[in-house]
């Protein structure tokens, strides 16, 4: 009987152990919930197909608005109205020998912008090669670029082949740098002989010197007041004013343009100059 009771106790313990379940361990060491698979696969949701971005259409470069010719350059290099009844109380602003320095050029451009004035910047090829970004700034700010030879040498002392190179190379580098081809030419020192003008004509360039010298390169070096006085002393309707890219010219320019405006003068936009005026215009 005693053995039977012990046997029943052992069987009860065995049956009790079989009814328990061991819970699997979660990956983070905590006990997982019963009935949860320890490595159940996570179903990935389908990635939505992105909406294609429309291809940007390149903005076409605007075609420059044609400007009606209103003026021409006389044989004495004054600016004259094509219409005899047109406004002759004007001046043409020009700056030679650049582009040299960002600060100096920027000062000239800022003052021109202030007075809503346009000018011709007669450039040297070797300076363009040194400062292509400054040439681009002249063009991008709406000013006109002119040809002043490559090396700023006296072309009257050179042969025709040299003259062609001096003029032609500037035409090419300006075009390569800005996309614009100059239409105005000024010889260094105002010196040129017959075939210089022939080479200009071949390159579709209007030849000009000046009729009003600021002397900023000579007697008025470092003298802003002298620059102003020299221009005013020579002032006539249609003055073709020669200046240079120089610090004292920058210092003089605002007062000079203000004085000219007070005297009733306006500033010719070079784009309005007829490159091939009729024979009746003289």
């Amino acid at each position: 009987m005693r053995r039977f009771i012990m046997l029943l106790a052992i069987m009860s313990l065995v049956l009790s152990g079989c009814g328990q379940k061991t819970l699997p361990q979660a990956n983070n060491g905590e006990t997982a919930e019963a009935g949860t698979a320890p490595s159940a696969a996570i179903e990935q949701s389908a990635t939505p197909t992105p909406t294609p971005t429309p291809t940007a259409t390149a903005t076409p470069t605007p075609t420059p608005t044609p400007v009606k010719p209103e003026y021409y350059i006389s044989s004495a290099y004054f600016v004259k109205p094509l219409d005899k009844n047109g406004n002759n109380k004007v001046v043409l602003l020009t700056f030679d020998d650049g582009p040299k320095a960002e600060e100096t050029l920027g000062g000239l451009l800022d003052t021109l912008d202030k007075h809503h004035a346009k000018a011709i910047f007669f450039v040297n090829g070797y300076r363009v090669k040194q400062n292509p970004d400054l040439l681009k700034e002249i063009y991008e700010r709406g000013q006109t670029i002119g040809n002043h030879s490559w090396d700023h040498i006296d072309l009257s002392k050179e042969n025709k082949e040299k003259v062609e190179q001096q003029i032609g190379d500037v035409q090419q580098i300006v075009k390569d740098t800005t996309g614009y081809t100059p239409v105005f030419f000024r010889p260094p020192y105002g010196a040129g002989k017959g075939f210089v003008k022939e080479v200009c004509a071949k390159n579709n360039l209007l030849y000009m010197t000046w009729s009003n010298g600021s002397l900023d390169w000579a007697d008025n070096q470092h003298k802003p007041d002298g620059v102003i006085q020299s221009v005013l002393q020579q002032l006539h309707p249609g003055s073709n004013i020669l200046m240079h890219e120089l610090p004292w010219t920058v210092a003089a320019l605002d007062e000079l343009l203000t004085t000219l405006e007070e005297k009733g003068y306006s500033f010719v936009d070079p784009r309005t100059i007829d490159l091939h005026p009729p024979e009746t215009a003289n």
Side-chain angles (χ1 to χ4, degrees):
M1 185 68 176
R2 188 176 178 178
R3 287 182 178 179
F4 178 73
I5 293 172
M6 291 179 65
L7 181 61
L8 287 175
I10 292 170
M11 290 179 66
S12 176
L13 289 172
V14 171
L15 290 174
S16 174
C18 290
Q20 293 180 347
K21 292 183 180 180
T22 302
L23 299 179
Q25 296 295 310
N27 291 339
N28 60 3
E30 297 178 353
T31 304
E33 293 181 1
T36 302
S39 59
I42 300 175
E43 183 177 352
Q44 298 291 334
S45 59
T47 302
T49 303
T51 303
T53 302
T55 303
T57 304
T59 303
T61 303
T63 303
T65 304
V67 178
K68 180 182 178 181
E70 298 179 43
Y71 296 92
Y72 69 98
I73 303 296
S74 73
S75 58
Y77 306 114
F78 281 86
V79 180
K80 302 281 189 178
L82 288 167
D83 182 348
K84 292 182 179 180
N85 296 318
N87 178 27
N88 69 342
K89 206 166 183 182
V90 297
V91 296
L92 175 64
L93 305 173
T94 69
F95 300 91
D96 286 10
D97 299 355
K100 293 180 180 179
E102 183 174 1
E103 182 177 0
T104 308
L105 175 63
L108 294 177
L109 293 172
D110 289 346
T111 302
L112 291 171
D113 285 348
K114 176 182 177 180
H115 291 268
H116 306 287
K118 301 298 183 183
I120 303 175
F121 285 80
F122 285 102
V123 301
N124 295 125
Y126 79 96
R127 291 196 186 278
V128 172
K129 186 176 181 180
Q130 293 170 348
N131 303 298
D133 289 343
L134 297 185
L135 186 79
K136 291 177 183 177
E137 185 173 2
I138 294 171
Y139 179 72
E140 290 169 356
R141 292 182 66 170
Q143 302 298 335
T144 296
I145 299 168
N147 186 326
H148 197 41
S149 84
W150 187 274
D151 290 307
H152 200 280
I153 57 177
D154 186 343
L155 298 179
S156 68
K157 299 178 180 178
E158 304 295 334
N159 59 37
K160 188 173 183 179
E161 182 180 2
K162 184 70 171 180
V163 171
E164 288 177 338
Q165 175 263 317
Q166 286 285 313
I167 294 176
D169 286 358
V170 174
Q171 292 293 89
Q172 191 61 54
I173 196 171
V174 172
K175 182 179 180 181
D176 290 346
T177 306
T178 66
Y180 171 79
T181 303
V183 295
F184 298 106
F185 176 79
R186 172 174 285 161
Y189 316 107
K193 51 188 177 182
F195 59 70
V196 175
K197 293 183 179 181
E198 292 177 12
V199 174
C200 285
K202 182 179 178 181
N203 284 275
N204 298 311
L205 286 161
L206 178 63
Y207 179 103
M208 73 167 77
T209 60
W210 61 90
S211 61
N212 184 320
S214 67
L215 298 179
D216 59 354
W217 73 97
D219 297 346
N220 292 323
Q221 291 188 46
H222 309 285
K223 300 176 182 178
D225 290 341
V227 172
I228 296 169
Q229 291 306 312
S230 288
V231 171
L232 296 179
Q233 287 169 4
Q234 303 168 68
L235 183 61
H236 289 91
S239 283
N240 182 344
I241 303 172
L242 167 62
M243 294 175 281
H244 293 78
E245 189 183 310
L246 296 167
W248 46 93
T249 306
V250 176
L253 191 61
D254 186 28
E255 183 178 342
L256 174 60
L257 300 191
T258 298
T259 303
L260 290 171
E261 289 172 320
E262 290 172 348
K263 290 180 176 293
Y265 283 85
S266 57
F267 312 113
V268 170
D269 185 336
R271 296 176 302 166
T272 65
I273 296 175
D274 195 336
L275 304 177
H276 307 286
E279 294 181 4
T280 54
N282 51 42

